Amino acid sequence: MVTHDKASHSTAEKEKEKTEQDVLVELSLSKIKNKFIVMSGKGGVGKTSVSVNLAMALAGKGYKVGIMDVDLHGPDVPRMLGLEGMLTLNQNQKLIPMPYSENLQAVSVESLTQNKDDAIIWRGPLKHSAIRQFIADVEWGELDFLIIDSPPGTGDEPLTVAQTIKDAKAIIVTTPQEVALADIRKSINFCKTVKMEVFGLIENMSGFTCPSCGEKIDLFGSGGGEKTAGAMGVTFLGKIPFDLNVVSCGDTGVSFQEKYKDSPVTKAVADIAEKMSKLIS
Amino acid sequence: MVTHDKASHSTAEKEKEKTEQDVLVELSLSKIKNKFIVMSGKGGVGKTSVSVNLAMALAGKGYKVGIMDVDLHGPDVPRMLGLEGMLTLNQNQKLIPMPYSENLQAVSVESLTQNKDDAIIWRGPLKHSAIRQFIADVEWGELDFLIIDSPPGTGDEPLTVAQTIKDAKAIIVTTPQEVALADIRKSINFCKTVKMEVFGLIENMSGFTCPSCGEKIDLFGSGGGEKTAGAMGVTFLGKIPFDLNVVSCGDTGVSFQEKYKDSPVTKAVADIAEKMSKLIS
């Protein structure tokens, strides 16, 4: 009974407090069919590469896709997409996402700063409002998929996404080494705590073939991601191998999957994109 | 004139507001000769491995060393040191750091949580107080070196360290790829903004020798760290090569430099530790 009273009270209060921004956030989100947040426990597991490659693969299938880069301290999405310059406003004073192709557009805090080497020294509350603005004040339009690239860990950024986008699903990226796996167990528990659905787990940098001798080398081990997914009761989406060309394409803003159409990486990404596109009926 | 008035006023206010915790923080810090914060722009560049290995190398030289793990969302220091269990209190109600060896002790948020897989879902302000407690409420004792392992980026954690430990020096770790270098330019600018001295930059995972054919492979490129250090006017501390055994030692809590005494990684780490130890007169 008490719980029920409290709940109605807090709902009423929330209704009252609904700001203009809340309305804009809801309006933006209502036009987006599927929202994914790409998370990782540890940094450097290739989360941004995976986000960008999944977005490209979905766009290649004909879906309308947006990428939102909320890694405010290391916004690498524009570089990986080869996008330069600043975001501009349309006649409704909304930010226009940067177009990568007809079907793919991106927004990043990097595209709001004039000097790309400036550090964003924002404490948590500022991050919270920046992310809400990226939803409310951007002219995303009708999208089939919004891919949100978040910084590693379970801090302000994923928390704000979970609270603002109630139907966001998490894709968790890990490498196979134990240190990374320990951290993604935290990411999975984070999702349980904030009641965000885990769409699945991807094992990235899984195995490496020496370009010189062709020998398969386990740089960071292999298979740990699948085992952890099983143990934690989440879907395993697949393994993406380590490929030196992913690094060089990311550094230079070249599309890996266009340049290396037959690579095992392209195949692995396409398989995962196919699983995501099953959500569109 | 106005600026001057404002300044004195704010100093006076600060004096008045000095809390018991401020006094404890100052007391703890006064017993520590050299404080280093190990930072990175991007995650996954081996920041924690570098922190742990530098701490071990300095302890091996006979210095008293502490490691403070402020990577609240991915606290990997205990695992890499093979430390388990929880922190305990002494008779003065101070936390006792976990001993790794006679000369090396560590404190991590991981050692405060019962279930190691729980996510720390803290927004910025809570992180700020947690880090201050790690200084105020821990019985560090007399130390030659405190190595602070921070999360990637320029958010709440490094900001709190910079504001709380005025004489902390930054060691910035990067890999040689361009995406990582773009992000460390932000880290260096962060240090300039918050007026923290940059002790120098380390290029980690610099080159890789195939264990099968012996060919040298540039996994993430090579040399970019040294070039960036030169361009940004900061000291270049050295390159640490990529070694598969660093991953496996880190995963299992085994000391790499004890197990692989003659490895190029051990040599590179020893050289950097030597540069740090020159600060002790």
Side-chain angles (χ1 to χ4, degrees):
Chain A
M1 289 285 269
V2 176
T3 315
H4 180 256
D5 279 359
K6 263 190 188 162
S8 359
H9 177 67
S10 106
T11 313
E13 261 190 351
K14 263 184 208 150
E15 278 304 320
K16 212 171 52 190
E17 282 170 14
K18 203 184 249 187
T19 61
E20 191 191 347
Q21 198 188 49
D22 291 328
V23 177
L24 291 173
V25 163
E26 276 171 32
L27 184 68
S28 265
L29 292 176
S30 70
K31 299 183 195 162
I32 303 170
K33 286 191 190 133
N34 295 284
K35 298 100 177 171
F36 287 98
I37 175 166
V38 181
M39 298 177 62
S40 74
K42 227 177 98 52
V45 297
K47 192 175 31 57
T48 305
S49 290
V50 168
S51 302
V52 164
N53 277 303
L54 286 175
M56 284 180 176
L58 288 164
K61 283 169 166 289
Y63 295 114
K64 293 280 176 199
V65 184
I67 305 188
M68 188 168 100
D69 183 2
V70 305
D71 188 350
L72 303 179
H73 301 296
D76 295 327
V77 166
R79 179 180 309 272
M80 288 197 184
L81 287 173
L83 296 174
E84 281 176 6
M86 310 265 292
L87 289 177
T88 51
L89 293 170
N90 67 9
Q91 69 275 27
N92 306 326
Q93 297 299 305
K94 287 249 192 179
L95 290 164
I96 311 167
M98 304 180 89
Y100 172 79
S101 67
E102 204 198 319
N103 287 340
L104 179 57
Q105 47 185 344
V107 161
S108 167
V109 71
E110 178 92 342
S111 324
L112 291 173
T113 50
Q114 198 101 43
N115 178 1
K116 305 301 179 200
D117 293 342
D118 281 354
I120 307 275
I121 311 176
W122 288 350
R123 287 201 179 271
L126 238 167
K127 293 185 195 176
H128 181 70
S129 26
I131 291 173
R132 286 177 54 86
Q133 275 187 32
F134 272 6
I135 304 168
D137 300 342
V138 170
E139 193 76 85
W140 286 109
E142 306 274 342
L143 291 181
D144 294 305
F145 293 97
L146 178 67
I147 312 269
I148 302 163
D149 184 34
S150 78
T154 52
D156 288 278
E157 295 88 343
L159 189 50
T160 294
V161 170
Q163 289 173 344
T164 309
I165 313 181
K166 301 287 179 203
D167 59 345
K169 296 178 175 67
I171 291 181
I172 300 175
V173 180
T174 184
T175 53
Q177 83 247 53
E178 181 47 42
V179 166
L181 294 172
D183 290 344
I184 59 151
R185 287 193 284 268
K186 293 185 206 290
S187 300
I188 295 170
N189 284 330
F190 166 89
C191 292
K192 287 183 185 159
T193 308
V194 302
K195 299 194 173 33
M196 182 156 62
E197 181 186 333
V198 177
F199 184 70
L201 192 140
I202 296 174
E203 181 174 310
N204 194 31
M205 304 190 185
S206 174
F208 168 69
T209 306
C210 173
S212 175
C213 66
E215 192 73 22
K216 197 165 175 274
I217 302 159
D218 276 343
L219 275 187
F220 301 107
S222 175
E226 189 160 11
K227 240 188 290 174
T228 304
M232 301 284 291
V234 303
T235 307
F236 184 66
L237 294 172
K239 290 181 192 180
I240 303 176
F242 186 92
D243 186 319
L244 293 176
N245 295 319
V246 171
V247 178
S248 60
C249 282
D251 273 357
T252 50
V254 168
S255 163
F256 177 89
Q257 54 201 286
E258 273 174 31
K259 193 165 174 188
Y260 302 99
K261 284 192 168 61
D262 301 323
S263 128
V265 169
T266 302
K267 167 95 187 48
V269 168
D271 284 350
I272 298 168
E274 179 60 30
K275 288 176 187 166
M276 293 165 78
S277 66
K278 291 233 167 82
L279 292 173
I280 304 270
S281 46
Chain B
M1 286 285 273
V2 176
T3 317
H4 179 255
D5 277 2
K6 266 190 186 162
S8 353
H9 177 67
S10 106
T11 313
E13 262 191 352
K14 264 185 210 151
E15 276 307 318
K16 212 170 52 190
E17 281 168 16
K18 204 183 246 187
T19 60
E20 193 189 350
Q21 197 188 48
D22 291 328
V23 177
L24 291 173
V25 163
E26 275 172 33
L27 185 68
S28 264
L29 292 175
S30 71
K31 296 184 197 161
I32 303 170
K33 286 190 190 133
N34 294 284
K35 299 102 177 172
F36 287 97
I37 174 166
V38 181
M39 297 176 64
S40 73
K42 230 179 97 47
V45 298
K47 192 174 32 57
T48 305
S49 290
V50 168
S51 302
V52 163
N53 276 304
L54 286 175
M56 283 179 176
L58 288 165
K61 282 168 167 290
Y63 295 113
K64 293 281 179 200
V65 184
I67 305 189
M68 188 168 100
D69 185 1
V70 305
D71 189 350
L72 303 178
H73 301 295
D76 296 326
V77 165
R79 178 180 310 271
M80 288 199 184
L81 287 173
L83 295 174
E84 281 174 7
M86 309 266 293
L87 289 177
T88 51
L89 292 169
N90 67 10
Q91 69 276 26
N92 305 325
Q93 296 301 303
K94 288 251 192 181
L95 290 163
I96 311 167
M98 305 181 88
Y100 171 80
S101 66
E102 204 198 318
N103 286 341
L104 180 57
Q105 49 185 344
V107 161
S108 168
V109 71
E110 178 94 342
S111 323
L112 291 173
T113 49
Q114 200 101 41
N115 178 359
K116 304 301 180 201
D117 292 340
D118 281 353
I120 308 277
I121 311 177
W122 288 349
R123 288 202 178 267
L126 237 167
K127 293 184 193 176
H128 181 73
S129 27
I131 291 173
R132 286 178 53 86
Q133 274 186 32
F134 271 6
I135 304 168
D137 299 342
V138 169
E139 193 76 85
W140 286 109
E142 306 272 341
L143 290 182
D144 294 305
F145 292 96
L146 178 66
I147 313 269
I148 303 163
D149 185 32
S150 78
T154 52
D156 288 279
E157 298 86 341
L159 189 51
T160 294
V161 169
Q163 289 173 344
T164 310
I165 313 180
K166 301 287 180 200
D167 60 343
K169 294 178 178 69
I171 292 180
I172 300 175
V173 181
T174 186
T175 53
Q177 85 248 52
E178 180 48 40
V179 167
L181 295 172
D183 291 343
I184 58 149
R185 287 193 285 269
K186 293 184 206 291
S187 301
I188 295 171
N189 283 331
F190 167 89
C191 292
K192 285 181 185 163
T193 308
V194 302
K195 298 194 171 40
M196 182 156 62
E197 183 185 332
V198 177
F199 185 69
L201 192 140
I202 296 173
E203 180 174 311
N204 194 32
M205 304 191 187
S206 175
F208 168 69
T209 306
C210 173
S212 174
C213 67
E215 193 75 21
K216 198 169 175 271
I217 302 160
D218 277 342
L219 274 188
F220 302 105
S222 175
E226 188 160 11
K227 242 189 289 174
T228 303
M232 301 283 291
V234 305
T235 306
F236 184 67
L237 294 171
K239 291 182 194 179
I240 304 176
F242 186 93
D243 188 319
L244 292 175
N245 296 317
V246 171
V247 179
S248 59
C249 283
D251 273 356
T252 50
V254 168
S255 163
F256 176 90
Q257 54 200 287
E258 272 173 34
K259 194 165 173 190
Y260 302 98
K261 284 193 167 63
D262 301 322
S263 129
V265 170
T266 302
K267 166 96 187 45
V269 168
D271 284 350
I272 298 168
E274 178 61 29
K275 288 175 188 167
M276 293 166 77
S277 66
K278 291 235 165 82
L279 291 173
I280 304 272
S281 47

